[in-house]
Amino acid sequence: MKRTIILAMAAVAALTGGVVTTASAENAADDKPVAATDKAREFAEDGPEIGGFDPVEGAALNVAPQTNGRAFVACPAGRVPSGGGGKTSGIRIFFTDSFPEGNGWVIRGTNTNPVGGATETIRAVVVCTAPR
């Protein structure tokens, strides 16, 4: 019985990605990505914070059916990319590349909808931090 409970607890932790604590749930609103223009305006007014990580989202890029597109987002002045990725509008578009470039992040996505199907969107996201 004890072994079954331990295995069940391990399965729940694996499926949920770990345990969400009260502290992380309270801080979740602070970790939301912001638009690049909003973050640039904030840094121009206040200057960048030392340390920390700032997720910045780029503009949505339309990708027509059976084509692929390239989306880019840059870190605000005084920050460098430390990671990144992207977002899609649906399940018929998938990423083919995700990599740093210069002071930002690039993603490429392919829309697998048939010709005449729906246009999908991709959006690059970069995580910026202060340089060392």
Side-chain angles (χ1 to χ4, degrees), residues 33-34 36 53-58 72-76 79-86 99-107 123-129:
V34 295
F53 297 93
D54 298 304
V56 181
E57 289 186 7
F72 176 80
V73 62
C75 286
R79 295 290 196 180
V80 294
S82 59
F99 56 90
E101 181 178 273
N103 195 38
W105 202 266
V106 173
I107 60 165
R123 179 185 307 260
V125 177
V126 63
V127 178
C128 306
T129 191

Side-chain angles (χ1 to χ4, degrees), residues 54-118:
D54 298 304
V56 181
E57 289 186 7
L61 175 76
N62 289 328
V63 181
Q66 295 296 301
T67 64
N68 81 23
R70 181 182 191 274
F72 176 80
V73 62
C75 286
R79 295 290 196 180
V80 294
S82 59
K87 296 180 175 184
T88 66
S89 63
I91 62 171
R92 300 295 305 253
I93 188 165
F94 61 92
F95 293 136
T96 56
D97 291 303
S98 178
F99 56 90
E101 181 178 273
N103 195 38
W105 202 266
V106 173
I107 60 165
R108 293 183 61 85
T110 300
N111 184 343
T112 61
N113 280 310
V115 173

Side-chain angles (χ1 to χ4, degrees), residues 10-73:
V12 168
L15 292 173
T16 62
V19 177
V20 176
T21 64
T22 305
S24 65
E26 290 172 0
N27 295 332
D30 296 339
D31 296 334
K32 290 182 181 175
V34 295
T37 54
D38 294 339
K39 191 54 79 171
R41 187 177 312 112
E42 175 188 325
F43 286 166
E45 293 170 359
D46 303 331
E49 296 176 17
I50 301 301
F53 297 93
D54 298 304
V56 181
E57 289 186 7
L61 175 76
N62 289 328
V63 181
Q66 295 296 301
T67 64
N68 81 23
R70 181 182 191 274
F72 176 80
V73 62

